[in-house]
C-alpha cells in the first residue's frame, strides 16, 4: 500500500469516526460528510491515472455532482432546522414528531 492510499483511507476513516462520535451539531456532521466525499473524490480522481484506464474518467465528475447536491440538501436542512428549532443541535431533532 502506497502512502497516498494510506492517506486517503485514513482520511475517510477519521471522518467516519468523527461522524460517529461527534454528533452534537448538524454542521459538524455535514463537515464530516463533506470530508468523506472529498477523500472519495480524490481517490476516484487518481484511480484512472494509476490504472491507465480512461473509461472511468467520468466517475469523479459524477461523484462531485452528487457531493454538491448532498451539500446543498444538508445546508437547506441546517437552515430549516435552525429556523424552526432555534439551534442546530441534533438532539433537538426528532423524526417521530414531524
Amino acid at each position: 500500500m502506497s502512502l497516498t492510499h494510506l492517506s486517503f483511507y485514513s482520511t475517510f476513516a477519521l471522518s467516519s469516526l468523527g461522524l460517529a462520535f461527534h454528533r452534537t451539531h448538524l454542521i459538524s456532521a455535514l463537515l464530516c460528510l463533506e470530508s468523506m466525499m472529498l477523500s472519495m473524490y480524490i481517490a476516484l480522481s487518481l484511480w484512472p491515472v494509476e490504472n491507465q484506464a480512461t473509461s472511468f474518467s467520468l466517475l469523479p465528475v459524477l461523484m462531485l455532482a452528487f457531493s454538491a447536491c448532498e451539500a446543498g440538501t444538508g445546508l437547506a436542512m441546517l437552515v430549516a432546522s435552525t429556523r424552526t428549532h432555534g439551534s442546530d443541535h441534533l438532539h433537538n431533532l426528532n423524526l417521530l414528531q414531524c
Side-chain angles (χ1 to χ4, degrees):
M1 179 184 306
S2 67
L3 187 61
T4 56
H5 289 142
L6 181 67
S7 65
F8 296 137
Y9 294 147
S10 63
T11 303
F12 188 81
L14 285 175
S15 58
S16 62
L17 283 174
L19 183 63
F21 293 126
H22 300 288
R23 294 184 305 178
T24 56
H25 294 281
L26 184 59
I27 191 72
S28 65
L30 289 175
L31 283 174
C32 289
L33 281 174
E34 286 302 314
S35 65
M36 288 171 69
M37 289 295 215
L38 181 65
S39 66
M40 287 174 56
Y41 171 73
I42 293 172
L44 283 175
S45 296
L46 290 179
W47 182 55
V49 174
E50 290 176 355
N51 294 333
Q52 285 88 25
T54 59
S55 61
F56 296 109
S57 61
L58 189 63
L59 195 59
V61 176
L62 187 64
M63 181 74 183
L64 193 62
F66 283 133
S67 176
C69 292
E70 179 257 334
T73 305
L75 288 176
M77 287 174 42
L78 176 71
V79 169
S81 69
T82 303
R83 285 184 180 173
T84 57
H85 297 292
S87 69
D88 68 335
H89 289 281
L90 287 177
H91 63 82
N92 290 339
L93 302 176
N94 189 0
L95 293 177
L96 297 176
Q97 293 178 350
C98 292

